[in-house]
Amino acid sequence: MTALKYMQAIVLLLGILVPALKTTGAQSIGVCYGRNGDNLPSQQATIDLCKANRIGKMRLYHPDQAALQALRGTDIEVILDVPNPDLQSLQDPAAAKTWVQNNIQSYTPGVNFRYIAVGNEVDPSTGNSQYVNYVLPAMRNVHDAIVAAGLQDQIKVSTATYSGITSGFPPSKGEFHDNAKGFIEPIIQFLAQNNLPLLANIYPYFSYLGTPQGNLDYALFRSQSPVVSDDGNRQYWHLFDALLDTIYSGVEKAGGPNVEIIVSESGWPSAGDREASVENARTYYQNLISHAKKNGTPKRPDKLVQVFLFAMYDENQKGGAETEKHFGIFDPTSQQSKYQLSF
C-alpha cells in the first residue's frame, strides 16, 4: 500500500455522525499484521494481544512460521498472502501444491485459514506491473491445490486489489481502468466461476488527499447529510462506501455480479502528512468499526462489510511516504491501544 498508487484514485466522490462504538454484532473486523519494524513485539505476544482485545481476524503478509504457530488453537480467522515476489514460482502446479502443503496443510487443523491472497495490489500501471502475468495462473494453481487437499469449503483463494485500479463517478459508473481490464477481468471471471471473493484495499485518506477541495468529514464518517446521490435512491454519507461501491460496479461490469468484496486493508495515519493525526486516525478507526458492524453499503445494504484494519503496529522500517510508518493501532513498545478501539 503506497500513497502514490492511491493518488491515482482521485475521485470526485465528495462527507451522520456515526454512533458510539458497539461491542456486539458479527465479528466483521480484523487487523493486518506486518513486521516492517525493529521494535515490534514477538509473534506470540502479538497473537496474545489480539486475543486480549477480542480481535477475531488477522491478515499475514507472508507465511510467518512463528505467527502461524502462535495462531494454532486460537480460532482467529486468517488471510495468508502469497507475496508478489513468490508469484512466478507458483506458475508451476507442483510448486503451488508444495506451498499449500508447507504453509496451509501443515497448520490445518489448528489455524483457521479463511482466505489466501495471491498477490497484493498488482497493477499494470505501477511498479508492480512485472507481476501481472503471474497472478491468475498462480491463483488457479493454489486453488487447485486447495481443492485437492479438500479445503475448498473452508479456504477461499483470491488476490488483493485496491481502489486505485478503478475510477468513475458516481459509484454506479465505476469501472476498472482501461489499461487494467485485460489483467483484472479474467481474474474476476475466475472468482465468479468458483464462488470466490475479491479482496480490496480501500483508503479514504489517500482519496481525500488526491481530491481537490476534499471533504474531510466525508472521509471520516462524520457527514451530517448525504454527499453523493446515485441511481436515484442511493445516498452516500461516507467516502468509504463510495469507494467500495465503485469497485463493486467495476466487478459487475467485469463479469462478477455476485462476487463479494472483502476489504483487506483500510486505515488512517496518525502522522506524516496533511490531516494525518492521532485525532483523525482515532475518529476514522472508531467510526469504521462501528459502521462495518451494522451496515452494508448503499449498493449492498444487506451485506455487512468485512474489514481488516491497517495495521497492527506502527512500522518504523516501512518504505514509501512518511505516513506509511504511522498506521498502527497499537504502540509496539507498550502494546497499548493508541485509540481504545472496541472489536
Side-chain angles (χ1 to χ4, degrees), residues 246-282:
T246 299
I247 301 177
Y248 263 121
S249 294
V251 169
E252 291 171 359
K253 294 180 178 71
N258 297 315
V259 171
E260 180 185 3
I261 297 175
I262 311 297
V263 179
S264 45
E265 290 181 10
S266 192
W268 196 284
S270 59
D273 203 344
R274 182 164 56 93
E275 302 299 351
S277 67
V278 170
E279 179 182 357
N280 285 344
R282 177 185 293 111

Side-chain angles (χ1 to χ4, degrees), residues 92-147:
D92 177 4
K97 183 178 180 180
T98 298
W99 190 93
V100 169
Q101 289 172 337
N102 291 343
N103 301 307
I104 301 293
Q105 290 176 269
S106 294
Y107 297 94
T108 306
V111 176
N112 188 11
F113 295 106
R114 296 305 304 275
Y115 308 103
I116 299 174
V118 181
N120 184 53
E121 295 188 351
V122 176
D123 181 346
S125 63
T126 70
N128 285 329
S129 61
Q130 69 267 35
Y131 303 115
V132 161
N133 293 329
Y134 303 139
V135 176
L136 183 55
M139 289 174 66
R140 291 186 188 277
N141 290 338
V142 172
H143 177 67
D144 288 347
I146 289 293
V147 172

Side-chain angles (χ1 to χ4, degrees), residues 294-305:
K294 65 180 191 293
N295 296 290
T297 69
K299 197 173 184 66
R300 296 285 189 276
D302 300 324
K303 183 72 175 178
L304 291 179
V305 181

